[in-house]
Amino acid sequence: MGTASVEESKKRPLVFAYYVTGHGFGHATRVVEVARNLILAGHDVHVVTGAPAFVFTSEIQSPRLFLRKVLLDCGAVQADALTVDRLASLEKYSETAVVPRASILATEVEWLKSIKADFVVSDVVPVACRAAADAGIPSVCITNFSWDFIYAEYVMAAGNHHRSIVWQIAEDYSHCEFLIRLPGYCPMPAFRDIIDVPLVVRRLHKSRKEVRKELGIGEDVKVVILNFGGQPAGWKLKEEYLPTGWLCLVCGASESEKLPPKFLKLAKDAYTPDLMAASDCMLGKIGYGTVSEALAYKLPFVFVRRDYFNEEPFLRNMLEYYQGGVEMIRRDLLTGHWRPYLERAMTLNPCYEGGINGGEAAARILQDTAYGKNYTLDKLSGPRRLRDAIVLGYQLQRVPGRDLCIPDWYANAESELGLRTGSPTAVTAENNSLADSFSQDFEILHGDFLGLSDTLSFLKSLAGLDALVDSPTKTGKHTIREQKAAAGLFNWEEDIFVARAPGRLDVMGGIADYSGSLVLQMPIREACHVAVQKIHPSKQRLWKHALARQQDKGQGPTPVLQIVSYGSELSNRGPTFDMDLSDFLEGDEPITYEKARQYFARDPSQRWAAYVAGTVLVLMKELGIRFENSISLLVSSAVPEGKGVSSSASVEVASMSAIAASHGLNIIPRELALLCQKVENHVVGAPCGVMDQMTSACGEANKLLAMICQPAEVLGLVDIPGHIRVWGIDSGIRHSVGGADYGSVRIGAFMGREIVKSIASTLLSQSLSTNGRYPDDSEEGGVELLEAEASLDYLCNLSPHRYEAMYAKMLPDSLIGESFVGKYSDHCDPVTTIDKTRNYGVRAAARHPIYENFRVKAFKALLTSATSDDQLTALGELLYQCHYSYSDCGLGSDGTNRLVQLVQEMQHSKASKSGEGTLYGAKITGGGSGGTVCVIGRNSLRSSEQILEIQRRYKAATGYLPILFEGSSPGAGRFGYLKIRCRNLPKQN
């Protein structure tokens, strides 16, 4: 084609097919801006959407706009305005886009050809990219997030059998040419090439003065616009929610709903940007549309977190980065304690000065690309096969050769909060410097920090809290909100108590703990520190919203529990929590554990507080303690969450240790661990065994804690021989003992125990009817064995040979919950509940602890045997057997399997065989389904080099650089507690 014809073709109007996801109005409203600019350039735009027509036609009146009412995905299914139903989202997507996939593709290809589409744009419908490829039409996505990232977290809760949905979505996205990425973006590894554009926001049609005049609102009235896209279930607005002189504009109210005075219902098709610009602040949930327009119009945004929507933390951090956001606790939203948050919003000075012409920029890129301009990198152009990616704990896919990209304002939190590739090295000079610095600020009245550098760092951070009030924008290791909350937490005239509890590496035993196994656990170097202050309510420094809540009740000062937790952004949870301690009482008695679980479950962003505040309730219920004073508590944990190294146990043990110390309670470490297990089992609702808490409380540095979990008999400490070394390598895949897989395997094991007891009872009855001999058995003492097995309290008390001889063939592979309950009534596990509709694996779940108990005993005996290569080989083989037994139970993961495979490749490499072997075995740890792998090897430089090589290879394959856990530290019992007092009292604010 000659130059003239090329130029002529560029003037030809184009036909764009624009697919819009079915999730919320935010996507449709930003599509309006891009489509409007394409139409202004003279092109036809066919919008495929499930959104109401007025969203588009109110802004675009043009014959070049065509609307096609079709829904090709479902987004996140919401139970109400703040709650996403994860399982329902996956099931709905399967129903909408997976089951009818073949017919969808056929229909869309035919339709694209029928309208003679030149280009396909997707925001961000996965199948649209594949349909475009099948039709031979180029496509581009425009978005700040992709559904593979959102749904990956849902798969963790709903089960890996849904994972194919995520892989298919990522594969569909890989067919587009490139991604036009919007600010506030999530990691999106499926896309090959990326072009960033400014915020896409809708234009203003009217001035603030014009809107207020139309609504009859004077300039002296403060206006908050309530923008939730619907209201939380069962919520009723009340006049007293608003401070004096305020008016609320309500979006999305139903026509039948009657609003109280000072609340003004807006029309369904009201143009929200004009109303936002006429308001003084906005109250709502975070989404792209609300955040982008709040930033663009410099409107302070009081937001409430949504449950389980992974887009939110990235948008929230962008909002707070530009000083535009105030977080409201859900409890205060629903109970009407709005005043302190609205007043705080009025002090903000939003400072976003970036572009807001993203719609125009995106339209220009789309037009240029359709006319033939190349925006892609040649080496990555065209459909590419995707590979594994692990991003923030979720398994996704990515294109080979492209690094994963995480926004700066999010990535900083990860790097600064200590998620590193290796463990810290204690440097004496640095310790001395920290100690000297700390001693200038605080006096240690009781205890010894044992030379632990992390403890010194924590103490120094306490000393620096007062300075943060004067420089709140200096983030250091923690977010601005964490710093400010912590700075206002303590009364420096009162003593502070500090406790420390480490995480643990599961060397052997793992999930067999709940079946009574012997376990061998090592406390790791990483630990949680908790600082606690017991203080009279009149002297406690209350946060403004807590003080307002107390004032609204018309009471004087009452005991309040206030908690600040550092590292909140890494797991998308609120950094603070507060409650009246009277909430734990019904009359004069503590509330039930069931009511406590419900209390903390009301707001998932604050559910983490159950691990900390739950220690208070357990002390009340189990020891009869009554808390007459307020408690202020700061949690700072270097034990990373979701890695399978007992982050929750370290928080529980450190919290209870510090609270006990501050209240003069002398609880021995073993009893404290058992109390902390009650926190996790009964308040949190996670069905864990006791080994995690026992190790964190009773462990010693560089030793294995040997314990028989029946329920918690400590046998002693086992030395790790000098020639042996143990490492932990994190797979990057989030692990949770509260997850469905762990719980179902535990239930399967307890089912197996009940079936074994039933079989043994039947055989015993037959035996007694045959004069002490049971059929086909000549073993002496058979009756005694059957009697023990008929009343089996722990599966691990059944030996492997008895299991194989008597029960293995009689256990079912799996069993529906209803069938089990119908025949056996109950599985007799107080911390799990059988779902009658679920199919539980039984044989593998029961077999694992029986053999694991034998493997742990063998491992312990081998540690004391003669030093030899055979010794190390045997130890490693026991780890491998344990790992594959986990997989048989359904508790494996791609990441942990890959790490074990890399260890095996190292072990059997020519280099290892030519000299003394270095690495000998590896296994998944703890509750499985991700988390950390334990590796055993020779204590040598070569072994360390091979571990680093495994780390490098894993990153090359997945994009994730694993954290290494090396070294050990003392448990909470050995550490005791510190009692400290401020020497130079900082000013109180």
Side-chain angles (χ1 to χ4, degrees):
M1 182 183 290
T3 304
S5 61
V6 170
E7 292 301 319
E8 190 66 28
S9 71
K10 289 187 177 182
K11 298 177 183 178
R12 176 178 67 85
L14 300 169
V15 177
F16 289 89
Y18 209 137
Y19 288 82
V20 188
T21 185
H23 180 78
F25 274 11
H27 297 267
T29 55
R30 70 190 186 197
V31 166
V32 166
E33 269 304 295
V34 180
R36 186 178 66 83
N37 280 281
L38 287 171
I39 288 171
L40 285 175
H43 308 300
D44 289 351
V45 179
H46 293 253
V47 178
V48 183
T49 180
F54 74 79
V55 176
F56 302 92
T57 57
S58 62
E59 182 68 4
I60 305 173
Q61 295 87 36
S62 170
R64 291 190 177 277
L65 174 67
F66 304 87
L67 298 179
R68 177 173 169 238
K69 200 69 176 285
V70 176
L71 193 63
L72 297 178
D73 69 356
C74 63
V77 176
Q78 295 187 210
D80 60 36
L82 293 174
T83 306
V84 172
D85 188 325
R86 293 173 289 180
L87 179 57
S89 296
L90 293 172
E91 291 175 342
K92 184 67 174 177
Y93 185 85
S94 181
E95 175 188 324
T96 305
V98 177
V99 174
R101 179 177 173 83
S103 62
I104 287 174
L105 285 172
T107 300
E108 294 311 303
V109 169
E110 182 180 351
W111 176 75
L112 288 170
K113 291 179 178 177
S114 72
I115 65 169
K116 297 183 170 62
D118 296 293
F119 208 85
V120 170
V121 189
S122 178
D123 183 358
V124 61
V125 180
V127 74
C129 304
R130 177 58 187 269
D134 289 353
I137 302 169
S139 65
V140 162
C141 284
I142 303 179
T143 188
N144 63 301
F145 75 85
S146 55
W147 286 113
D148 50 344
F149 183 72
I150 302 300
Y151 285 159
E153 192 269 344
Y154 300 176
V155 168
M156 293 176 57
N160 280 338
H161 55 289
H162 291 285
R163 192 174 61 178
S164 60
I165 291 175
V166 174
W167 295 105
Q168 184 63 69
I169 289 172
E171 201 72 51
D172 284 346
Y173 286 145
S174 74
H175 289 280
C176 79
E177 298 296 310
F178 55 86
L179 166 68
I180 297 177
R181 187 170 61 182
L182 304 177
Y185 58 84
C186 303
M188 293 178 277
F191 295 99
R192 299 186 297 281
D193 295 291
I194 294 170
I195 301 172
D196 287 305
V197 297
L199 289 176
V200 176
V201 297
R202 292 174 288 177
R203 303 174 299 165
L204 294 179
H205 292 166
K206 299 175 183 177
S207 69
R208 171 188 172 96
K209 188 174 182 180
E210 288 173 325
V211 174
R212 285 193 168 226
K213 184 176 180 181
E214 288 181 5
L215 295 174
I217 302 172
E219 283 297 325
D220 60 329
V221 177
K222 294 293 184 186
V223 176
V224 56
I225 182 168
L226 188 67
N227 193 359
F228 276 98
Q231 295 181 12
W235 186 37
K236 294 294 183 183
L237 297 169
K238 297 179 182 178
E239 182 180 359
E240 57 265 29
Y241 288 4
L242 293 174
T244 303
W246 281 75
L247 180 73
C248 182
L249 306 178
V250 182
C251 301
S254 64
E255 294 181 5
S256 61
E257 183 177 3
K258 292 184 179 180
L259 298 182
K262 299 201 294 186
F263 287 82
L264 180 62
K265 186 187 301 183
L266 298 173
K268 287 282 187 184
D269 58 353
Y271 192 61
T272 310
D274 287 348
L275 294 163
M276 290 174 63
S279 300
D280 295 288
C281 71
M282 178 165 58
L283 172 56
K285 63 183 180 182
I286 283 182
Y288 179 84
T290 53
V291 170
S292 61
E293 291 177 347
L295 289 175
Y297 311 140
K298 292 184 167 55
L299 181 69
F301 188 177
V302 180
F303 62 86
V304 181
R305 296 190 190 217
R306 265 187 298 182
D307 307 342
Y308 313 123
F309 198 66
N310 298 340
E311 173 194 22
E312 183 175 290
F314 299 90
L315 292 170
R316 183 178 68 245
N317 286 8
M318 181 174 69
L319 181 69
E320 294 179 345
Y321 182 83
Y322 293 111
Q323 301 176 38
V326 175
E327 180 174 355
M328 177 185 282
I329 299 169
R330 184 180 303 190
R331 180 175 73 244
D332 287 340
L333 170 74
L334 300 180
T335 56
H337 294 287
W338 295 7
R339 178 173 56 83
Y341 301 98
L342 297 180
E343 291 173 350
R344 167 64 180 148
M346 290 298 91
T347 69
L348 296 182
N349 184 25
C351 60
Y352 179 76
E353 299 292 345
I356 58 173
N357 64 333
E360 178 185 351
R364 184 170 59 251
I365 293 168
L366 293 172
Q367 174 184 266
D368 291 348
T369 303
Y371 280 144
K373 183 173 180 178
N374 183 20
Y375 280 96
T376 62
L377 300 174
D378 291 338
K379 70 184 180 69
L380 294 178
S381 61
R384 307 279 295 199
R385 184 179 67 82
L386 296 174
R387 298 199 306 179
D388 294 358
I390 297 169
V391 181
L392 302 179
Y394 308 132
Q395 280 189 281
L396 304 167
Q397 287 192 336
R398 71 184 174 109
V399 173
R402 193 175 74 72
D403 289 337
L404 305 179
C405 192
I406 298 174
D408 290 343
W409 54 81
Y410 198 88
N412 287 345
E414 182 166 336
S415 62
E416 290 170 353
L417 286 166
L419 294 192
R420 54 201 175 278
T421 58
S423 299
T425 302
V427 180
T428 303
E430 181 182 355
N431 281 2
N432 291 338
S433 174
L434 282 170
D436 292 341
S437 176
F438 170 76
S439 64
Q440 296 173 12
D441 300 299
F442 281 95
E443 177 185 3
I444 297 180
L445 304 176
H446 172 88
D448 183 352
F449 65 85
L450 304 181
L452 294 164
S453 59
D454 60 342
T455 301
L456 273 175
S457 296
F458 176 71
L459 294 174
K460 184 58 183 174
S461 74
L462 285 179
L465 284 178
D466 61 305
L468 298 176
V469 178
D470 299 320
S471 55
T473 58
K474 182 182 178 183
T475 59
K477 283 188 175 183
H478 311 298
T479 68
I480 295 173
R481 284 195 299 136
E482 290 172 350
Q483 289 180 332
K484 293 179 72 173
L489 187 62
F490 295 120
N491 184 325
W492 300 107
E493 297 178 352
E494 304 291 329
D495 295 342
I496 295 173
F497 293 78
V498 175
R500 178 190 185 277
R504 67 95 188 93
L505 182 64
D506 166 33
V507 178
M508 287 294 289
I511 59 166
D513 65 340
Y514 55 66
S515 292
S517 178
L518 172 67
V519 297
L520 296 173
Q521 308 293 306
M522 183 180 79
I524 59 176
R525 190 191 302 266
E526 290 75 12
C528 173
H529 287 85
V530 170
V532 166
Q533 185 173 75
K534 180 187 76 170
I535 189 166
H536 190 275
S538 63
K539 294 183 178 181
Q540 187 180 30
R541 302 175 68 190
L542 287 177
W543 297 317
K544 289 182 180 178
H545 67 268
L547 180 61
R549 186 172 64 243
Q550 199 167 85
Q551 290 172 343
D552 288 345
K553 291 181 178 180
Q555 301 172 342
T558 56
V560 173
L561 172 64
Q562 292 190 141
I563 306 170
V564 176
S565 175
Y566 286 154
S568 59
E569 286 306 318
L570 291 175
S571 55
N572 190 23
R573 53 179 167 80
T576 65
F577 174 83
D578 62 272
M579 64 178 292
D580 296 337
L581 284 172
S582 60
D583 289 348
F584 275 155
L585 292 172
E586 276 187 334
D588 295 328
E589 294 301 316
I591 62 174
T592 65
Y593 287 134
E594 175 61 28
K595 288 186 177 179
R597 276 200 304 278
Q598 294 172 359
Y599 181 92
F600 290 108
R602 293 182 302 182
D603 184 353
S605 72
Q606 294 201 313
R607 190 174 292 169
W608 61 269
Y611 294 97
V612 184
T615 61
V616 173
L617 179 62
V618 168
L619 289 171
M620 292 170 67
K621 289 185 72 68
E622 305 300 328
L623 299 186
I625 308 299
R626 293 296 178 264
F627 295 91
E628 306 295 337
N629 290 299
S630 292
I631 301 173
S632 298
L633 195 147
L634 175 63
V635 180
S636 179
S637 183
V639 185
E641 298 175 34
K643 309 299 183 186
V645 288
S646 299
S647 59
S648 59
S650 65
V651 169
E652 292 155 359
V653 171
S655 297
M656 188 173 286
S657 297
I659 291 171
S662 67
H663 289 77
L665 305 176
N666 184 19
I667 308 173
I668 64 172
R670 179 184 181 277
E671 294 305 316
L672 187 135
L674 290 170
L675 290 170
C676 288
Q677 185 196 20
K678 288 184 180 293
V679 175
E680 189 140 1
N681 286 172
H682 301 304
V683 182
V684 177
C688 71
V690 73
M691 70 178 189
D692 299 356
Q693 290 82 4
M694 289 292 290
T695 309
S696 187
C698 306
E700 291 280 355
N702 301 308
K703 297 180 186 293
L704 299 180
L705 181 72
M707 180 179 68
I708 296 177
C709 302
Q710 299 188 17
E713 181 188 346
V714 175
L715 297 186
L717 298 166
V718 179
D719 289 324
I720 302 174
H723 66 288
I724 294 175
R725 191 169 182 182
V726 177
W727 298 263
I729 309 179
D730 162 42
S731 68
I733 299 171
R734 291 187 183 184
H735 151 89
S736 170
V737 296
D741 292 332
Y742 174 91
S744 64
V745 172
R746 176 171 176 144
I747 289 171
F750 277 81
M751 284 180 169
R753 187 191 65 173
E754 292 306 303
I755 295 172
V756 166
K757 289 168 64 177
S758 176
I759 295 170
S761 295
T762 300
L763 292 174
L764 182 61
S765 297
Q766 295 173 358
S767 147
L768 294 175
S769 67
T770 55
N771 300 318
R773 298 276 304 269
Y774 54 91
D776 301 320
D777 180 65
S778 57
E779 182 179 343
E780 292 185 8
V783 171
E784 288 79 3
L785 284 171
L786 284 175
E787 286 175 340
E789 290 156 4
S791 59
L792 190 67
D793 48 359
Y794 294 97
L795 266 177
C796 290
N797 291 338
L798 182 65
S799 64
H801 80 272
R802 284 290 294 177
Y803 167 77
E804 293 294 346
M806 305 298 301
Y807 305 107
K809 294 179 181 178
M810 301 180 73
L811 285 179
D813 285 333
S814 62
L815 201 56
I816 300 292
E818 185 174 22
S819 299
F820 176 86
V821 172
K823 186 172 182 179
Y824 300 98
S825 181
D826 187 21
H827 67 318
C828 299
D829 179 13
V831 297
T832 58
T833 302
I834 293 175
D835 179 349
K836 292 184 179 181
T837 65
R838 183 160 188 167
N839 189 31
Y840 294 96
V842 174
R843 180 179 292 154
R847 183 181 190 275
H848 174 81
I850 294 168
Y851 275 87
E852 181 70 0
N853 186 46
F854 175 80
R855 286 189 289 263
V856 182
K857 290 178 179 178
F859 190 97
K860 181 174 178 287
L862 279 167
L863 285 176
T864 60
S865 66
T867 300
S868 68
D869 195 61
D870 287 342
Q871 177 203 32
L872 283 163
T873 299
L875 289 168
E877 181 61 28
L878 291 170
L879 263 66
Y880 286 139
Q881 288 182 18
C882 173
H883 177 79
Y884 292 113
S885 184
Y886 263 77
S887 296
D888 289 344
C889 293
L891 291 176
S893 75
D894 291 346
T896 50
N897 288 343
R898 187 190 297 273
L899 284 169
V900 170
Q901 181 63 37
L902 287 170
V903 170
Q904 291 177 357
E905 289 173 4
M906 286 290 178
Q907 178 183 358
H908 301 302
S909 65
K910 290 183 178 179
S912 292
K913 288 182 176 179
S914 61
E916 284 192 336
T918 52
L919 302 182
Y920 288 86
K923 63 177 277 285
I924 195 170
T925 62
S929 298
T932 295
V933 162
C934 174
V935 181
I936 192 168
R938 192 178 297 279
N939 188 6
S940 67
L941 177 61
R942 176 60 181 151
S943 295
S944 297
E945 291 172 347
Q946 289 189 327
I947 292 291
L948 293 175
E949 176 62 16
I950 289 171
Q951 187 184 40
R952 186 194 67 76
R953 291 186 186 181
Y954 192 79
K955 183 178 188 300
T958 67
Y960 176 80
L961 184 66
I963 300 168
L964 299 183
F965 296 101
E966 301 179 86
S968 183
S969 66
R974 175 71 178 84
F975 181 86
Y977 68 90
L978 303 178
K979 180 180 179 181
I980 61 176
R981 180 178 297 164
C982 189
R983 292 182 185 275
N984 305 308
L985 294 178
K987 61 184 180 182
Q988 301 289 311
N989 290 286

